[in-house]
């Protein structure tokens, strides 16, 4: 091999090495760019989710405060006015015991007593402070009792396991989810029975709300616009996501509805 051939081979080898190096550098740049883009997308997604959670939390807290204000207004003003009206009817009952209108006055007085009782129950249900006083278990029982008395629907409540502490904000959101589900049953399900099962396990808080109503098609409900079907299901899913819970809805037309909520127990939560 002469010198010129050696130079050609050497030049070609150098060119191949340079091309490989350039190719490697280009691949490195592409991979680095892809990693940066993926990382940026993850960061943007995380920021979006955090922002949505903050907005949702603010909305829920604002709504909860509004409900508490309404509850206080009902208790302080409407309840007192109705109580005064009933006192007047009580006086009329005693004064007109022999009057022909006595029975009508007595019946009206009883209706007013039922209205006052219902308003007091409604006021308590709107006020999330009841949670801190009585806990989630008793608050759910109260809601079912109110439904049984006012909507004439058979209700049943089953519990299992020992209560463990749930973060106060998460508990409020869970309570409002339960109220929304019960309200949807009353408005749309045409149900005659409601069953709530609540279970505290070593690792999860589990809640199941079922009814024997007309059910619905999840596909049709999901495809409808907010104006047609509202945003109830999406709101429930967002609230569940906000507290770190999963929600599963089992339903079909004519088969009733069953909603499962599963909330993992936090490690630092102590059992009672």
């Amino acid at each position: 091999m002469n010198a010129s051939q050696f130079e050609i081979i050497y030049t070609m080898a150098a060119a191949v090495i340079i091309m490989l190096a350039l190719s490697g550098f280009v691949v490195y740049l592409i991979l680095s760019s892809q990693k940066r883009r993926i990382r940026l997308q993850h960061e943007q997604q995380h920021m979006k989710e955090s922002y949505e959670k903050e907005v949702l939390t603010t909305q829920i807290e604002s709504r909860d405060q509004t409900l508490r204000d309404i509850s206080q207004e009902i208790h302080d003003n409407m309840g007192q006015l109705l109580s005064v009206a009933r006192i007047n009817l009580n006086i009329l009952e005693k004064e007109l015991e022999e009057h022909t209108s006595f029975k009508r006055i007595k019946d009206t007085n009883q209706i007013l007593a039922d209205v006052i009782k219902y308003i007091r129950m409604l006021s308590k249900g709107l006020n999330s402070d009841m949670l801190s006083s009585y806990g989630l278990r008793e608050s759910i029982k109260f809601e079912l009792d109110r439904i049984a008395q006012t909507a004439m629907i058979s209700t049943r409540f089953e519990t299992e396991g020992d209560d463990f502490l749930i973060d106060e904000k998460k508990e409020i959101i869970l309570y409002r989810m339960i109220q929304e589900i019960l309200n949807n049953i009353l408005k749309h399900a045409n149900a005659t029975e409601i069953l709530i099962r609540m279970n505290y396990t070593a690792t999860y808080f589990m809640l199941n709300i079922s009814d024997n109503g007309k059910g619905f098609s999840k596909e049709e409900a999901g495809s409808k616009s907010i104006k047609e079907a509202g945003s109830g299901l999406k709101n429930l899913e967002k609230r569940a996501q906000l507290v770190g819970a999963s929600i599963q809805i089992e339903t079909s037309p004519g088969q009733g509805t069953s909603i499962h909520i599963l909330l993992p127990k936090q490690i630092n939560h102590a059992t009672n």
Side-chain angles (χ1 to χ4, degrees):
M1 181 181 296
N2 55 37
S4 60
Q5 290 178 325
F6 180 79
E7 288 178 359
I8 293 173
I9 294 174
Y10 178 80
T11 302
M12 292 178 62
V16 169
I17 291 173
I18 292 172
M19 289 180 64
L20 288 174
L22 287 173
S23 298
F25 182 68
V26 171
V27 170
Y28 170 77
L29 289 177
I30 293 173
L31 291 176
S32 297
S33 176
Q34 287 179 338
K35 287 182 179 179
R36 284 197 300 270
R37 186 168 64 252
I38 292 172
R39 186 170 64 250
L40 181 60
Q41 288 174 345
H42 288 166
E43 290 175 354
Q44 290 175 338
Q45 182 65 27
H46 178 71
M47 290 175 62
K48 180 181 177 182
E49 291 175 355
S50 298
Y51 174 74
E52 289 177 348
K53 285 185 177 181
E54 288 179 5
V55 171
L56 184 57
T57 300
T58 302
Q59 290 175 342
I60 291 172
E61 290 176 349
S62 176
R63 182 173 181 269
D64 192 67
Q65 182 60 51
T66 300
L67 291 175
R68 279 185 293 189
D69 292 341
I70 294 173
S71 169
Q72 197 65 41
E73 184 71 19
I74 290 173
H75 180 271
D76 292 345
N77 295 319
M78 189 180 296
Q80 289 184 5
L81 290 173
L82 290 173
S83 296
V84 171
R86 188 159 187 243
I87 291 172
N88 290 335
L89 283 176
N90 286 333
I91 294 172
L92 280 176
E93 272 193 46
K94 294 178 180 179
E95 292 179 348
L96 303 175
E97 191 169 352
E98 303 299 328
H99 197 277
T100 54
S101 300
F102 173 74
K103 186 178 184 304
R104 182 173 297 177
I105 294 173
K106 187 173 183 179
D107 291 344
T108 304
N109 196 5
Q110 184 57 51
I111 292 172
L112 189 57
D114 292 339
V115 170
I116 292 173
K117 181 180 180 181
Y118 172 74
I119 284 178
R120 285 174 178 169
M121 295 180 73
L122 178 63
S123 175
K124 288 182 180 179
L126 291 174
N127 197 335
S128 61
D129 289 342
M130 187 173 69
L131 273 174
S132 58
S133 300
Y134 301 102
L136 187 59
R137 190 190 300 266
E138 291 300 318
S139 298
I140 293 174
K141 287 173 64 177
F142 178 85
E143 284 295 317
L144 289 179
D145 289 343
R146 182 173 67 85
I147 290 172
Q149 292 182 31
T150 59
M152 304 300 292
I153 294 179
S154 174
T155 63
R156 194 150 50 100
F157 185 44
E158 299 176 0
T159 65
E160 186 177 344
D162 297 325
D163 297 15
F164 55 75
L165 294 177
I166 298 176
D167 179 80
E168 182 179 357
K169 289 186 178 180
K170 289 185 178 182
E171 197 169 56
I172 290 175
I173 293 173
L174 285 172
Y175 181 54
R176 294 306 183 199
M177 288 175 66
I178 294 166
Q179 287 182 313
E180 183 170 348
I181 292 168
L182 293 175
N183 187 52
N184 287 337
I185 293 173
L186 296 178
K187 288 173 61 178
H188 306 296
N190 292 335
T192 59
E193 297 178 3
I194 298 174
L195 169 62
I196 294 184
R197 290 191 178 98
M198 188 171 72
N199 188 8
Y200 290 89
T201 73
T203 53
Y204 289 98
F205 166 78
M206 296 186 291
L207 188 76
N208 174 259
I209 304 175
S210 58
D211 67 75
N212 66 342
K214 63 182 181 181
F216 61 93
S217 168
K218 289 193 293 183
E219 289 75 15
E220 289 183 7
S223 63
K224 289 181 179 179
S225 66
I226 292 177
K227 290 183 178 180
E228 291 176 310
S231 54
L233 295 180
K234 292 182 179 179
N235 278 340
L236 289 174
E237 291 172 353
K238 286 182 178 179
R239 291 183 182 188
Q241 184 181 13
L242 184 62
V243 299
S246 62
I247 184 169
Q248 182 181 1
I249 301 173
E250 297 178 1
T251 185
S252 59
Q255 300 298 318
T257 302
S258 185
I259 299 178
H260 308 274
I261 299 173
L262 190 67
L263 176 68
K265 177 182 178 182
Q266 292 187 3
I267 297 176
N268 61 343
H269 283 159
T271 56
N272 290 339

